[in-house]
Amino acid sequence: MKLSRKMQTLAASLALALATATTTLLPAFPSYAAAPQVRVQAPGYYRMMLGQFEVTAVSDGTVKVALDKLLSGEEPQQIRRLLENGFQKPDQAETSINTFLINTGGKLLLMDSGAGQLFGANVAGRLQQNLRAAGYRPEDIDAVLLTHVHLDHSGGLSAAGKRMFPNADIYLSRNEADFWLNPANKAKVDGPRASGFDQRQGFDQAQASLAPYLAAGKVKTFEPGVELFPGIRAIATPGHTPGHVFYEASSDGARMQFWGDAVHAQQAQFAHPEIAIDFDVDSASAIEQRRKAFADAAAHGYWVAAAHIAFPGIGHVRSDADAFAWEPANYSLERLN
């Protein structure tokens, strides 16, 4: 049926009105407000069972280190290449500071205490908050076992002369205590090296961190080789410092060694264990201890927990051609059972 001109005009007007209304009520591309960025890292802890022991890696944060200036033992360009191949900036390598908590069921033991505020504001210093996030309080700690007393391992013990772990005894090897707590030894170590690092600063820092515990009679020294607590023993590994030790935890046939400063640059030192760092008091002995540790861990397959391997710093060492490689722990829920 043919519409009249008047009807055609009316139909066209209705179609235009409907199209306009639809466009107004139902936009083709609805817009939403952008969600604000959070820019806060998740709490830094990771937990697993070791036999009947609960082990929790607790991060003290990270610090940027000029590894290209601190490392030696290979050509500088080779060291830079190794770091860059591991996606680290050689002059600003972001390095983890890991601590480890062991709940044996009878004791709560903390391996090292992080740096506290000794690197300055907003650098490291996360141990206390991450410890609480992991479900524990500083006052719950029965003992802090120091691998050695460099500032990034003992700096978190105290702040402004106050004990940050008020109920804890502090354990360190007798050689470590005798070295760092005797001011006369300051004259026996090197002054500033080419990197700018000065071993002599460690004496004042160690004494300040330990002072409130010494005053309270809560510093305990030991000879390596002894079992400090059931399933926990100390292993002498002098070199990085004169009294440096590993700790080994054993439960139901499972083993984990806590390595302190056997490794500072995982991208370089597993492939080239001969690479040393200026932080070593005795570099030759530190290299020897590192080679021995890598070979033993690769041969026996036990767990390793290291202070400066990327958080959580737990994994295994394997042989790789004529050197070694690091295999980080796979994230696991099953390992909590």
Side-chain angles (χ1 to χ4, degrees):
M1 180 175 109
K2 186 175 181 181
L3 296 176
S4 67
R5 182 178 296 276
K6 182 177 181 180
M7 291 297 292
Q8 290 176 351
T9 302
L10 179 59
S13 298
L14 288 173
L16 178 62
L18 180 61
T20 302
T22 302
T23 302
T24 301
L25 295 175
L26 298 173
F29 301 102
S31 62
Y32 301 99
Q37 296 177 341
V38 179
R39 296 201 179 192
V40 175
Q41 188 55 274
Y45 69 91
Y46 178 78
R47 184 167 287 140
M48 62 175 282
M49 295 300 294
L50 183 80
Q52 297 301 308
F53 292 173
E54 179 196 77
V55 176
T56 307
V58 186
S59 174
D60 190 48
T62 64
V63 61
K64 289 185 178 179
V65 181
L67 288 179
D68 60 339
K69 295 181 176 64
L70 289 162
L71 297 177
S72 61
E74 284 285 343
E75 291 297 320
Q77 60 268 30
Q78 167 73 339
I79 290 173
R80 285 194 294 270
R81 184 162 52 249
L82 289 166
L83 295 170
E84 289 169 350
N85 286 346
F87 298 95
Q88 281 279 30
K89 295 180 180 179
D91 62 338
Q92 295 186 68
E94 189 173 13
T95 302
S96 291
I97 302 177
N98 307 322
T99 71
F100 302 94
L101 192 64
I102 303 177
N103 189 334
T104 69
K107 293 288 184 181
L108 192 58
L109 311 174
L110 180 65
M111 304 293 182
D112 289 330
S113 71
Q117 301 302 314
L118 296 186
F119 283 128
N122 302 318
V123 181
R126 305 299 202 275
L127 174 58
Q128 295 279 324
Q129 68 191 60
N130 284 329
L131 185 65
R132 290 186 173 91
Y136 292 102
R137 303 171 303 164
E139 54 266 36
D140 296 334
I141 306 298
D142 295 303
V144 180
L145 280 58
L146 297 178
T147 58
H148 62 300
V149 296
H150 275 163
L151 70 89
D152 51 331
H153 296 259
S154 68
L157 288 176
S158 58
K162 178 183 176 182
R163 287 178 284 149
M164 300 305 290
F165 302 98
N167 298 317
D169 292 319
I170 310 303
Y171 285 75
L172 71 163
S173 73
R174 187 176 306 280
N175 285 347
E176 191 75 352
D178 289 348
F179 183 74
W180 294 107
L181 298 180
N182 182 352
N185 288 327
K186 187 184 291 190
K188 300 177 183 179
V189 300
D190 295 337
R193 300 186 179 182
S195 63
F197 178 72
D198 188 345
Q199 288 282 0
R200 295 173 301 187
Q201 296 174 349
F203 290 89
D204 294 338
Q205 292 161 349
Q207 290 162 25
S209 295
L210 289 165
Y213 297 90
L214 288 165
K218 296 184 76 65
V219 175
K220 301 182 182 298
T221 60
F222 60 85
E223 297 294 341
V226 300
E227 187 175 60
L228 300 173
F229 300 92
I232 308 292
R233 70 184 182 99
I235 303 168
T237 54
H240 178 64
T241 63
H244 189 278
V245 296
F246 292 173
Y247 294 100
E248 182 173 280
S250 301
S251 176
D252 286 356
R255 296 165 61 197
M256 179 179 287
Q257 284 192 0
F258 300 83
W259 274 5
D261 274 1
V263 179
H264 288 87
Q266 68 189 87
Q267 298 83 6
Q269 289 175 307
F270 281 103
H272 293 271
E274 72 279 6
I275 292 178
I277 194 164
D278 278 2
F279 302 150
D280 294 335
V281 174
D282 180 348
S283 292
S285 294
I287 291 169
E288 179 184 353
Q289 294 292 350
R290 180 163 44 255
R291 289 185 185 279
K292 186 188 303 183
F294 286 179
D296 192 66
H300 295 97
Y302 49 73
W303 287 103
V304 169
H308 301 306
I309 289 177
F311 183 79
I314 295 175
H316 293 93
V317 179
R318 61 174 174 81
S319 297
D320 185 26
D322 57 351
F324 303 93
W326 175 252
E327 293 293 340
N330 188 54
Y331 181 86
S332 174
L333 297 178
E334 181 69 22
R335 217 175 284 130
L336 290 173
N337 298 324

